Amino acid sequence: MSDTPEPEPSPKPQPSGESADLTGTTAPGRGAAGPAPAADLQHLYQELAQTNVRLEEEAQRRTIALATAAHRLKTPLAIISGYIELLLSQKAGTLVERQIEILEDTQENCARLQRFIQDFLTYSALETGSVAIQAELGDLNACLAEVYELWLPRFQKKGVALYLTAGTRLDPFKFDSFKIEEVVSNLLDNSLKFTPGGGSVWLSAERHFWDRRGGHDIRAPIERRKLNSSTPNSVKVTVADTGPGIEPEFHQEIFQDFFRIPGASESSEGTGLGLAIARRLVQAHSGKIWVESEPGSGSRVSFLLPLEPPARESTGTS
Ligand SMILES: Nc1ncnc2c1ncn2[C@@H]1O[C@H](COP(=O)(O)OP(=O)(O)O)[C@@H](O)[C@H]1O
Ligand SMILES: [Mg+2]
């Protein structure tokens, strides 16, 4: 979306007659006459807040418009796919080798487009807040086993070994199994895509103590002191691979919308939305996601799901 022109903030005349400097390079309202009165700063602050709300609304409208367009593409694409399948089945007439090749290529491109549309629809639904987390008591190991079974044939086809090492018994806790399956699928998709044949990928889950005191632990201090630091309060899920690894400078950016590492991802298919979607879904569970990696040493993407969501955080999307 970098080609969208940035709306300019509307500068307001300052008491000194200058325009407000919203870049922060000079102190706003500070002229030869000294600091601006508190009322002026208050006014400037309100104006910035209004501009911010307006920009957010515009971004939402754009996302909804693009999602509507993407949604409309779904039906014709499904019809095209159906016809390709029919032709390939040769029920509508016998095909020569070259025709089969062309149709198979078209089918693959249709599937790519369908994946892109699906990613974009999920992203825009999360972005516009129309996705609700349906957290129910569940067995995370069973959820991971399902995703593992689903992905195993694709790994076998490429010659990449896939291991499920979810050996630890996990007590049932509340999470949205469809959304967590989607998160894990996005991570496995990356590991499969970036790991060359002959490599390995491990999917694992373990109990984990998540010390949120430095972050946004909203429990009362007395309650926190009672918490034994050895008591696991979350589950950590990790997808580790023997792929090319990721430069530390990109460890944050790969979770941003539409971000793909320049150069590294160009030869592979993708939208740059998989990890951004995963981040939103994990955050909607009050969890967090991160990567540990060095170029040449593979990647480990992990996420934490709290066994009990912090009381003041809603279970909706963030
Ligand atoms: N396991 C991995 N190994 C190497 N690079 C990765 C891995 N996972 C993610 N990346 C990098 O992060 C980028 C963003 O990932 P993602 O959001 O899933 O987008 P996409 O898969 O569509 O490229 C990828 O394009 C790739 O450059
Ligand atoms: Mg991806």
Side-chain angles (χ1 to χ4, degrees), residues 179-188 278 281-282 289 303:
K179 307 284 189 312
I180 295 306
E181 277 175 22
E182 183 161 1
V183 173
V184 177
S185 287
N186 286 357
L187 304 188
L188 289 179
L281 292 175
V282 168
I289 185 165
F303 65 89

Side-chain angles (χ1 to χ4, degrees), residues 190-191 193-194 241 244-246 254 259-261 264-265 269-276 299:
N190 283 345
S191 287
K193 186 161 56 177
F194 296 108
D241 64 48
I246 300 167
I254 56 170
F259 184 83
R260 309 191 78 213
I261 297 178
S265 320
E269 182 199 319
T271 55
L273 282 176
L275 289 178
S299 308

